[in-house]
Amino acid sequence: MKLERIVLEPIGVVRSPLRDRAEAPNQGSEGAPDATIELSPGLRDGLRGIEAGDELVVVTWLHRSDRSVLQTHPRGDRSLPLTGVFKTRSPDRPNPLGLHRVTVRELDGAVLKVGPLEAIDGTPVVDLKVALRGPAGP
Amino acid sequence: MKLERIVLEPIGVVRSPLRDRAEAPNQGSEGAPDATIELSPGLRDGLRGIEAGDELVVVTWLHRSDRSVLQTHPRGDRSLPLTGVFKTRSPDRPNPLGLHRVTVRELDGAVLKVGPLEAIDGTPVVDLKVALRGPAGP
């Protein structure tokens, strides 16, 4: 299998009151705060049309993750059976990409306020997409 | 803003009857066929517990995309207003990651049959995650 390496350029960064993984809930819907995404100013045109109330998927790079992990107890609950990371949402996985469905609170230039978002302060953002409605999601 | 480059190692590849972008529907739910994901054999442990009927999010690298595009007409429909790519699902965007919600049809070793999937043959796969139910998705 010929598989070439892929280089991502972060498009921005998360600014959040959450400072480390221990503080962060497993999912945004589990009590995460609002956060700010500072987009690279040169990519501002890519936000055209985004407004308060829009539902987006934020794709992050979970930079504090362990890329060597292949199996885990879901949600860190050791009473649950050891499960392949590809059947979980664990941040520890070979390519630790995070998917976060958020609501846009406010857009000011290249700064997007969104929430709730469980990613910690300093997390690189690699993509934003409109969320799809219904079972055709994500 | 200090933003370091990120290197992804593909975890596998899509095998599909779809051979080029012109043939592929915009979303899997719009008539895409089933496809096969050939996972790197060394990552097989990461599939533990996956079975037919599971709903997964496949994250791909849309390798035929134009990374310089920041605005587009959604769904290629020129009657729709020019929109920032971060408010669309266009494959053309700075980091062309694809998100595809699929159902597992069959797992055989490191080969996963899933569907429907609109990614074309040869598309690198970079992550798999369990799909979340309801509005907390993706």
Side-chain angles (χ1 to χ4, degrees):
Chain A
M1 207 185 307
K2 180 176 163 282
L3 298 174
E4 290 179 11
R5 287 181 164 203
I6 293 161
V7 177
L8 300 184
E9 304 277 355
I11 64 169
V13 67
V14 172
R15 293 298 169 209
S16 171
L18 296 173
R19 297 291 166 177
D20 60 49
R21 278 180 60 172
E23 288 184 85
N26 285 314
Q27 297 298 330
S29 57
E30 296 173 14
D34 284 356
T36 296
I37 295 171
E38 295 177 8
L39 207 77
S40 296
L43 300 177
R44 184 173 159 176
D45 285 352
L47 299 174
R48 180 174 176 163
I50 291 179
E51 52 194 17
D54 284 351
E55 300 275 318
L56 298 179
V57 179
V58 179
V59 186
T60 59
W61 180 251
L62 301 168
H63 59 309
R64 298 287 176 79
S65 299
D66 181 345
R67 300 182 70 171
S68 70
V69 174
L70 288 177
Q71 301 194 345
T72 187
H73 296 281
R75 302 180 59 86
D77 180 346
R78 300 190 69 85
S79 73
L80 296 174
L82 202 58
T83 303
V85 290
F86 300 133
K87 194 185 171 156
T88 76
R89 288 278 177 149
S90 170
D92 298 319
R93 54 183 56 242
N95 291 312
L97 294 164
L99 303 182
H100 318 267
R101 186 170 178 142
V102 299
T103 303
V104 174
R105 310 294 189 202
E106 191 184 330
L107 174 61
D108 181 10
V111 177
L112 202 57
K113 190 170 179 187
V114 301
L117 181 62
E118 75 279 18
I120 64 174
D121 189 64
T123 300
V125 176
V126 296
D127 201 7
L128 299 169
K129 297 177 189 293
V130 70
L132 299 179
R133 289 163 194 274
Chain B
M1 208 183 311
K2 181 173 162 282
L3 297 174
E4 289 178 13
R5 288 181 162 200
I6 293 161
V7 178
L8 299 184
E9 304 277 352
I11 64 168
V13 67
V14 172
R15 293 297 169 212
S16 171
L18 296 174
R19 296 291 166 178
D20 61 50
R21 279 180 59 171
E23 288 183 86
N26 286 315
Q27 299 297 330
S29 57
E30 297 173 13
D34 284 356
T36 295
I37 295 172
E38 295 177 10
L39 206 76
S40 296
L43 300 178
R44 183 174 161 177
D45 285 351
L47 299 173
R48 180 173 176 164
I50 290 179
E51 53 194 17
D54 284 350
E55 301 274 316
L56 298 180
V57 179
V58 179
V59 186
T60 59
W61 181 252
L62 302 168
H63 59 309
R64 298 287 175 80
S65 299
D66 180 346
R67 299 182 71 171
S68 69
V69 174
L70 289 178
Q71 301 194 346
T72 186
H73 296 281
R75 302 178 61 84
D77 180 347
R78 300 190 69 85
S79 74
L80 295 174
L82 200 59
T83 302
V85 290
F86 300 132
K87 194 183 170 156
T88 76
R89 288 279 177 150
S90 170
D92 298 320
R93 55 182 57 243
N95 291 313
L97 294 163
L99 303 183
H100 318 267
R101 186 169 177 143
V102 300
T103 302
V104 174
R105 310 296 190 200
E106 192 183 330
L107 173 61
D108 181 10
V111 177
L112 203 55
K113 189 170 179 187
V114 301
L117 182 62
E118 75 278 20
I120 64 174
D121 189 63
T123 300
V125 176
V126 296
D127 201 7
L128 301 168
K129 296 177 190 294
V130 69
L132 299 179
R133 291 164 195 271

